[in-house]
Structure formats: structure tokens, C-alpha cells
Amino acid sequence: GGNDVTYVRVDALIQDETDGTEDGMYRIRVAKDGFMLDSLAISASECVINQQSSSRDFRVESDDNTHMFFVDGANDKVGIGTSSPSQQLHLSGPTPIVRLTDTDTNAYGEISSSSSDGNLMFFADQGNTQANTTIRFSIDATERMRIDGDGRLLVGTTSSSYNDTGCRISAGGSIQNTVSGGQLLRLNRTTSTG
């Protein structure tokens, strides 16, 4: 008893006093486990929360969600709509949706998870603002497969023409395979029954 203890400290600091290039800083420090730690620092170039990497959470509430945005300081994870993110980025809601919008065309795609059955769904040009939209899959910087606007699955090709090498499966069920050499189709049965 009898000791002076500082629990919260607010500082207004000069970072650069040079005429014409003056910079300042506003800092809030809060005591934790006997030490003063930066909770918020606002400088001329950035706004930093938890500058000293203390194991503290950061939370933003919305009208109906206490954890609309949540940073789990102890586990280095970010949650949107959840207070206990299980991955580096975790979205949680009745039907969580991530939307990616191209501001040049206003076209957008979405990734969603169905709350009733756990399906993962991909939507290309959900607003139908562009023609000939595709969903593409690339590996090692090379496109390997796509689904085109007519519902065709194209593997090893970006062309719907059967004159080009690759495999095409139409939405109606027809299959076209074109190779430039070697085997066109190989079937293998691993047992002698059936």
C-alpha cells in the first residue's frame, strides 16, 4: 500500500518539430500484469493497436453481433461473426458469403457455405453483368481446368473446340477428348470379376 500506480496513460508526443514537416503522435498506454503497454498509437503515418504484441484481443461490435470483427491475440487468428476463430481467417454466420467485386465492371463472384448441409459453393458473375464468365483453376501458374459460361468442363484446354487438345464435358453429358499423340482413352480394371 501507499505506492503510486499508473493504470492508464495518455501521451501527446512530438515526432518531428521541423517547421513545415511537423509530425505528432497520440498514444494510450494501459497497465497489464504490472507493465504499461501501448494499446493505441496514432502517428502521422499509421494507426497501430497493440504495438508491443501483447496477448490481447481486439473486438468490434455491430448492432446484433458482439464479435462482428474479432482478433484473437493469443492464437493469431481473425474471426468475422465468431468469438472463437478456428483458422487464421474464420467467417461465421447463417450462410457465410465472401464477395469479390471488380470495380472496373461491377461484376462479382462469391464463395459461400450452405448452413443446412455444409456444401461449398462458387458463384461467378452472380449479378450476370458480363458475358462468357468462367470459373478457372490454376496450378503452378498454369490454368489446368475451367467451367465456362455454357456449363462445359474443360480440362487441359481453354477452348471448347474439339480440334484442340484437351478434354471437354458438356452440360448435356457428352464427352470429347482430343490428343496430339499417344493414347486417347485408357481403361483399367484392377480385378477379374464383374
Side-chain angles (χ1 to χ4, degrees):
N3 294 329
D4 291 334
V5 177
T6 301
Y7 291 94
V8 177
R9 179 174 169 176
V10 178
D11 297 318
L13 307 171
I14 298 172
Q15 289 190 299
D16 182 356
E17 71 279 4
T18 307
D19 186 33
T21 62
E22 298 90 348
D23 290 332
M25 173 183 278
Y26 178 78
R27 183 174 65 192
I28 299 174
R29 308 183 84 198
V30 177
K32 181 183 179 185
D33 299 327
F35 296 97
M36 296 299 290
L37 299 175
D38 288 358
S39 293
L40 174 65
I42 302 172
S43 71
S45 59
E46 62 181 353
C47 177
V48 180
I49 296 171
N50 196 24
Q51 173 73 41
Q52 292 161 300
S53 300
S54 174
S55 179
R56 291 185 289 180
D57 297 336
F58 175 78
R59 181 171 59 90
V60 177
E61 292 194 24
S62 66
D63 186 39
D64 296 316
N65 194 324
T66 60
H67 291 77
M68 194 67 246
F69 183 84
F70 177 69
V71 176
D72 184 336
N75 297 302
D76 299 328
K77 294 176 181 174
V78 175
I80 297 177
T82 178
S83 61
S84 55
S86 60
Q87 301 297 331
Q88 191 170 7
L89 176 61
H90 182 168
L91 277 70
S92 181
T95 304
I97 298 174
V98 175
R99 176 176 288 192
L100 307 170
T101 301
D102 182 340
T103 57
D104 290 332
T105 63
N106 289 323
Y108 62 89
E110 294 178 342
I111 303 170
S112 177
S113 177
S114 170
S115 59
S116 61
D117 51 24
N119 288 333
L120 183 63
M121 299 171 287
F122 296 86
F123 303 95
D125 191 20
Q126 184 72 338
N128 196 26
T129 61
Q130 301 296 310
N132 304 315
T133 305
T134 62
I135 296 178
R136 304 177 189 185
F137 300 86
S138 293
I139 300 173
D140 296 331
T142 301
E143 183 178 325
R144 302 298 184 185
M145 182 174 70
R146 72 168 53 185
I147 301 171
D148 70 14
D150 292 321
R152 284 182 292 249
L153 176 65
L154 308 175
V155 180
T157 183
T158 60
S159 170
S160 61
S161 171
Y162 66 88
N163 292 320
D164 298 320
T165 59
C167 176
R168 297 155 195 83
I169 303 175
S170 74
S174 66
I175 300 174
Q176 300 172 339
N177 287 297
T178 304
V179 297
S180 59
Q183 295 178 342
L184 176 62
L185 178 66
R186 181 177 182 179
L187 303 173
N188 183 30
R189 186 174 68 182
T190 59
T191 66
S192 58
T193 60

